[in-house]
Amino acid sequence: MSLSRRDLLKITMKAGAGAAVLSGIPGPLLAQLGGVLPESVQSIRDPMIKELALRAVEAARGAGASYVDVRLTRTRQFGYGGRIEGLVVGVRSLVNGYWGFSSGRLWTPDEVARLGRESVGQARALAIGPVREVDLAAVPTPVDEHWTMPVEIDPFEEVSEEEVSDFLGGLKYFIEAHPNFEVPSSPLATFVVQEKAFASSEGAYCTQRLHRSSGAVVLRLKKNGRELSRGLDTLTPAGLGWELFKGQPIREQIRRLMDEMEEDFAMPVKPVEVGRYDVVCDARTIVNLVESTLGTATQLDRALGFEANASGTSYLNAPLEMLGSFEVGAPLLTLTANRSEQGGAATVAWDDEGVRPDEFALVREGVLQDFQTTRESAAWLAGNTKASREIRSNGCATAPTAVEAPLTHTPNLRVAPGSEAVDFDDLVSGIEEGLAVKDMDVSMDFQGLNGMGQGRVYEVKDGKRVAIVAGAGFLFRAPELWKRLVALGGEASMRRYGMASSKGEPEQTTYHSVSAPPAVFEEFTVIDPRRKA
Amino acid sequence: MSEAARRQRAEDSRILTEAECRQILERAHAMARGGGDTGVSIKSWWQGELRWARNRASLSSDRRNIEVTVIRKTSSGNQGSVVINQVDDIALEAAVRTAERISLMRTGPSDPGFVPKVPEYVRPPSAPIWSEATVGLDAGTRAEVARKMIAPAEAEGFYSAGYLEVRAAAAATYTTAYRDLLTGEYSPVENPYIRWTQAQCSNTVRDATGMGSGWAGLSSYDWERIGSESDALAERAVQKCKASRNPVALEPGRYTVILEPQAVADLIESLVTLLGASGHRGRESAENPLMEHPFQLGYDNATGLMLSKMGLKVVDERITIEHDPMDPRLGIVMSPLERPGPVTWIENGVLKRLGHNFNTGIEALDGINGLHQLRGGTGYRMSGGDTSMEEMIRTTRRGLLVTRFSNIPALPLDSSSMLTTGLTRDGLWLIENGEITRAVRNFRFTESPLFMLNNVEQIGEAVPVFRPTKKETGELTPAIVPPIKARDFSFTSLSDAV
C-alpha cells in the first residue's frame, strides 16, 4: 500500500500537539514506503524549523540571556555502521559572561522553549561566581540564507544500498581475481548527510546541507608463507558524495597498490640502526605530522589552557607574544586553513556560530600568523598588534551535532607545495644516503611537544629505495621539526586526507581534511621504539 | 535536596522508563509487516556537565538523547535494523519499514530448524548502581563544587582546569523472538531494563609559568562518594603542582617505581580489555595460532591445537583481578547474558578465565549454565596489600614516584609481550634513601604491564580510581586498584612536556 504525501500530512496533523511534526517526514525513508518518491525534500528549509529556532531564542532572551544561539541538526547515515537517523536541538546562552547549554531530541515548540530557559538556568548557576568578561567578536549575520554542499551524486537521493553493496562486492571480486591477493575484510562505505539550522539573538538565520563520505578497501598479499596487508588511502572522509567512489579510478589505484605491495615484498629487510638521517616523507606522513603538531597546537583554546584537563596543552602557549613573530618552521613552510575547499571534510558555508569562515594563514614562511578561533577566543587576541589581520573569528566553532556545544575544532589545512614540479620519487632520487617513510602514524605528548612516528620505512642509497627498515621509530620535538624542512614536493604531488579529531569534556569528534606534498627533513632522529632501557 | 532538584525529580523524564521501553517494542511489532520477529535495543541518557579552565567556569550543560535500534527479522529474510532517536508513530513506522526492507535485502544462513527450550535468565544480584545523589546534583550545586575546587588553586596563583559530570542512563533490549520457548521471563537475547548513574570529577592545576602540573580525579556511580572528596581532589592537585615545579632531568634507564593507583590503572588498561571476548581478545584469540596474544602458550603436540595460558601463573601471586558485582564500591551493570555473575579472571597470579563468544565449547563455561557470551572485565577489582605508601617510600633506596601515565596508544608495540609506551604526567618525583627529594622531568616509558606485574615488590591498599566511561550510553567501568612498587621499570627517553 503506498501513501501519498497528502495522506502522510493528514496522519501528521492527527498525531497531536506533542508530535515531532518534522521528524515524521524523513526523506529517503519515505522512499521505502512502496516506491513513493517525494519531491527532493529540503526539509531543513521548512519555515516551521525557523519558528522553532526563533522560539528557543525568544525563550532564552525572555529568561535573561544577553546572547543566544540555537542549532537544530538532522543527521542521517548509511553504509558501514548501519542506517542511523537522529534529530537533535541545542541552545546556548550567555548570562553575565557565563555560558549555559541545554540540548535534547524533541523538535517541538514546548521543548525548544524549555531548552531555551534551561540553558539560561545553567548559565545563571555559574553567574554567581566572579565576574567574567566575554567579548564576542562582531560578525556579519546571515539572514535566511541556505547552502547545500555541492556533490555530484547525492548518496541519499540518487544511490540505493544495493548499488553500493554491488559496487563494493565488485571490488572484492576484482582483488581476489589477482593471484596471491585476497580481501581480509569486506570493503566498506559510509555516507553521512547533515542538515542543520542556526539562529542567534543577533538576528542570524541560516541553514545548510552537508555531506561526508568515506570508505575502506584492504588488500592482503600472501606469498611464500609471508603475508602483508595494506589499505587504499584514497577513501578517507571527504565532503563528497558517491563520486568519492565512482569518480576515482579505484581499480587502477588498487592495481598500483598491488604493485607497490609486490615491490615491498621483494625487498630485503634490515633492522633499524639508530641515528640521524635525511628522511623523505610521503604526503600522508607530512599530513599526519602537520595534524599532530601545528594543526593541534594552533587551536587557541588549547594554547590558553582550556583543554588542560582533557587532551592537553600546546607548546604555542604565549599566543599574544608569538603571533606574527614566532618561528615555528623553516621559511619553506606555509600552512593555510580554510572551510571552503571543495570536498573538504570541514567545508561549510557558516560555522556553528553563524560565522562565514575565511581562508587564513596559520604559518607563513615559517612564522606563526594566526590561531584557530571562535567568536569568543578571537577577542582574546586583541592585544596583539603584529598579526596582519583584524580581530574576527576564523570560523572554527564546530559541534558534531546540535546535542553537543560547539568547540574550537581544526578546519581544513593545506601545506603549500614547493615551486618545483617534483614528487616523492624525485625527492628520493636526491638522497644519497638516508631513509624514506610512507604512511607514518604520529603520537604526541600531552603538550604537543615531543612526538614519535612509526610507518613504512625504506633505506635509501644513491637515490633509490633499496631495503625495508624494520622497527624504526622517528623521534622529534615539534618546535624543531619544521625548522629541519629542506625540500617540498610540487603542486601535482599534493594529496588530501580526511581525518577525525577528538577533544573536549565531554569528548566530541569532528572531521577535517589536510592536504600536503611529500617533503624532506634533514637530521631526523631514528630510534628503535621497542628497545627497553 | 534543593527545590530545583525536587521539581526535577517530580517531572523526571530525563531517561526512558521500563514501561516506555516495553511500549516501544509493542508498538513497533504492531506496525510490522512480513511476519517474523521484532526487536528493539533502547538506550537513553541524561548528563549534567560543568567544565572550567583558567579558574573560571567555561560552560554548564544539561543534555539528553535516546538511541533506539529497531530490528526486524521477516519470515523470508535475515535481520535488518535501523537506529533512530524519535519514537512518535510516523518515525517508528518508517523505521520498521526500513528495517524490513533491509531484512529482505539480506541473504545468508537462516535459522537452524530446531531451537531448544531456552532456560531462564535472571539478572544476578549486584550492589546498587543508581544513586539519587548523582541524578539530583543540579547546576547550582555543581557550580558551588567547582568554585570550592578552584579557590585553593587561585589562592596560590595557579590555574585550575577541570570537569564535573553526572549522568543517568538506561538500557533495555526486548524481542518478540523465542516467546513460545521461554521458561523464564527473559530470553537469552534480551537484556531486561536496567538504569544506572555515573559521576566523575577531575581537575588539573598548572603553574602560571607552565613548569608544574598536578592532577587528581575520581569516578563512581554515586556522587556522594565524590562530593565528599572534591575538596581533597583539589588539594591534591594543588599540592602536586607545587611539588612538581623546577623538575630536574634524570638519565633514562631502569628504575624501581612506586606507581600510584591511577598509574597502575592506566598501565594495565590494555591488559584488562584483553580479558574480554570479541576482537583480538579473549579465549578465541588466545587459542588462535594466527593471532599474537600474550596469553598464548604454544601448540599441543597431541592435538595440534594452540593452547592458551589458562590455568598457568601469568603474574605475581599476590595479584587477583576479579569482577565482583556485589562490591558496593564497584557498581557494575549486569547483563544476564554477557556477564552472568561474579568472575575471577586472575587468581593469585593464575589466569583462571578469559572472555569467550557464544560458540566456544560448553566446557569453557564451568559452573555457569547454558549458552552465553562472557564479555570481559568492564569494571574490576584488583587485590591490594598491607604496605602503606609511606612504607613503600621509606623502603626505597632509589626510585621514582609516578602520579599517572598518559598517551598510551591503543595498540601495543608488540602484541605477544604487550610491550607498550607512553608518558608520565602531572607529577614525577625522585625517591632517595627513603625520602622524596626532587621533582623529575617527565619520562617516556617502554614497558609491558605484564612485565611490571611480574616484578612486584610491594602492594598497597586498593582504592577506587578515575575510570569513567566517556560514551553517554556506555556501561559503568569502575576499578579498584592498589598502588604498586615494582622494580626494573624501563624509562627510555626524557620528555620535557609538562
Side-chain angles (χ1 to χ4, degrees), chain B residues 158-350:
Chain B
F158 296 152
Y159 285 130
S160 170
Y163 182 57
L164 202 168
E165 177 194 283
V166 285
R167 174 193 301 166
T173 304
Y174 297 125
T175 177
T176 58
Y178 304 119
R179 286 270 158 252
D180 50 333
L181 300 174
L182 285 184
T183 53
E185 215 189 318
Y186 301 103
S187 81
V189 294
E190 290 186 304
N191 276 334
Y193 179 87
I194 185 159
R195 58 174 202 171
W196 65 91
T197 52
Q198 176 179 271
Q200 60 165 295
C201 179
S202 60
N203 68 152
T204 300
V205 174
R206 292 175 73 81
D207 171 84
T209 63
M211 286 315 295
S213 183
W215 175 91
L218 196 55
S219 58
S220 168
Y221 81 94
D222 182 8
W223 167 256
E224 264 169 27
R225 287 155 211 244
I226 302 180
S228 55
E229 292 290 313
S230 59
D231 290 344
L233 291 176
E235 273 306 319
R236 204 174 331 144
V238 169
Q239 187 269 321
K240 279 181 186 278
C241 177
K242 248 195 232 174
S244 67
R245 290 176 298 180
N246 304 315
V248 292
L250 286 187
E251 277 293 308
R254 299 210 185 202
Y255 286 82
T256 295
V257 286
I258 297 180
L259 303 176
E260 290 195 354
Q262 191 64 47
V264 175
D266 292 336
L267 185 63
I268 70 170
E269 184 65 36
S270 52
L271 175 63
V272 170
T273 57
L274 206 65
L275 300 170
S278 87
H280 301 283
R281 307 173 290 212
R283 185 162 175 165
E284 286 81 3
S285 301
E287 292 172 349
N288 182 349
L290 295 176
M291 310 214 83
E292 277 184 6
H293 194 286
F295 295 142
Q296 249 169 24
L297 180 60
Y299 282 101
D300 171 31
N301 285 326
T303 58
L305 294 173
M306 174 63 78
L307 296 176
S308 69
K309 288 185 180 171
M310 279 189 44
L312 298 179
K313 182 166 170 295
V314 291
V315 293
D316 189 286
E317 62 261 2
R318 286 167 284 181
I319 311 274
T320 294
I321 299 178
E322 57 198 334
H323 165 101
D324 180 6
M326 288 306 292
D327 187 327
R329 298 167 302 167
L330 275 184
I332 299 170
V333 174
M334 297 299 301
S335 94
L337 190 63
E338 296 175 344
R339 290 173 201 89
V343 176
T344 303
W345 304 103
I346 292 174
E347 187 168 38
N348 301 323
V350 174

Side-chain angles (χ1 to χ4, degrees), chain A residues 1 8 11-12 15 19-21 23-26 29-33 81-88 92 97-107 111 114-115 118-119 121-123 125-132 160-162 165 227 301 303-313 317 403-405 407 443-452 454 475 477 503-507 529-533, chain B residues 8 16 33 45 47-66 81-88 90-91 93-95 97-98 101-102 105-106 139-140 142-144 147 154 161-163 165 200 202-204 206 209-210 215-216 252-254 290 404 406-407 409 413-414 419 421 423-426 442 444 446-448 451 470 472 488-498:
Chain A
M1 177 191 79
L8 280 165
I11 297 169
T12 308
V21 173
S23 71
I25 319 178
L29 289 183
L30 275 182
Q32 321 298 340
L33 286 163
R83 248 193 196 267
I84 307 175
E85 173 159 351
L87 291 167
V88 282
R92 199 173 61 144
Y98 285 91
W99 291 103
F101 182 76
S102 186
S103 62
R105 66 182 182 95
L106 295 174
W107 285 17
E111 177 67 3
R114 183 190 75 79
L115 292 177
E118 181 64 46
S119 68
Q122 294 291 320
L126 304 180
I128 313 169
V131 171
R132 195 164 179 268
S160 67
E161 286 193 67
E162 289 96 334
S165 167
E227 59 178 62
D301 61 338
L304 289 171
F306 285 82
E307 272 284 301
N309 196 51
S311 50
T313 51
N317 53 8
V403 86
E404 292 102 351
L407 287 180
S443 71
M444 305 296 296
D445 62 33
F446 39 86
Q447 203 171 355
L449 198 53
N450 297 283
M452 180 155 84
Q454 289 182 274
L475 265 191
R477 266 185 107 252
K503 65 184 285 187
E505 288 168 308
E507 195 172 270
R530 296 181 200 202
R531 194 186 303 166
K532 290 172 56 157
Chain B
Q8 223 167 18
L16 295 177
R33 290 187 205 146
W45 59 268
Q47 281 190 184
E49 304 152 1
L50 176 55
R51 195 174 189 207
W52 72 89
R54 293 181 75 102
N55 300 333
R56 293 290 176 271
S58 327
L59 181 67
S60 178
S61 309
D62 180 299
R63 311 182 312 117
R64 63 195 70 176
N65 202 359
I66 69 173
S81 63
V82 283
V83 181
I84 52 172
N85 81 334
Q86 305 291 321
V87 290
D88 56 281
I90 295 183
E93 174 145 22
R97 285 302 150 262
T98 308
R101 193 169 170 279
I102 295 173
M105 235 174 66
R106 296 233 165 110
R142 298 198 290 269
E144 189 49 42
R147 260 195 296 282
E154 196 165 20
Y163 182 57
E165 177 194 283
Q200 60 165 295
S202 60
N203 68 152
T204 300
R206 292 175 73 81
T209 63
W215 175 91
R254 299 210 185 202
L290 295 176
R404 65 174 181 147
S406 179
N407 301 79
L413 290 169
D414 175 58
L419 185 70
T421 183
L423 301 150
T424 59
R425 184 173 177 175
D426 298 319
N442 284 316
R444 168 173 290 283
T446 306
E447 191 50 273
S448 155
F451 183 89
K470 282 189 177 172
E472 294 92 349
D488 292 337
F489 197 88
S490 158
F491 290 108
T492 38
S493 61
L494 273 173
S495 164
D496 54 346
V498 175

Side-chain angles (χ1 to χ4, degrees), chain A residues 137-138 323 375 377-384 387 389-393:
Chain A
L323 258 193
R375 290 185 67 186
S377 62
W380 299 335
L381 295 178
N384 176 281
R389 58 156 191 79
E390 20 131 17
I391 300 307
R392 71 185 289 283
S393 162

Side-chain angles (χ1 to χ4, degrees), chain B residues 6-46:
Chain B
R6 244 185 290 269
R7 214 185 321 124
Q8 223 167 18
R9 246 226 300 179
E11 36 160 71
D12 209 327
S13 54
R14 289 178 285 173
I15 58 173
L16 295 177
T17 62
E18 178 165 9
E20 283 169 324
C21 291
R22 279 216 170 276
Q23 240 195 8
I24 293 172
L25 171 68
E26 275 147 39
R27 285 166 55 218
H29 192 58
M31 295 167 178
R33 290 187 205 146
D37 288 304
T38 308
V40 292
S41 177
I42 302 168
K43 299 188 173 142
S44 60
W45 59 268
W46 163 84

Side-chain angles (χ1 to χ4, degrees), chain B residues 468-485:
Chain B
T469 317
K470 282 189 177 172
K471 202 157 147 23
E472 294 92 349
T473 50
E475 298 185 357
L476 294 170
T477 52
I480 298 176
V481 183
I484 292 183
K485 178 153 110 181

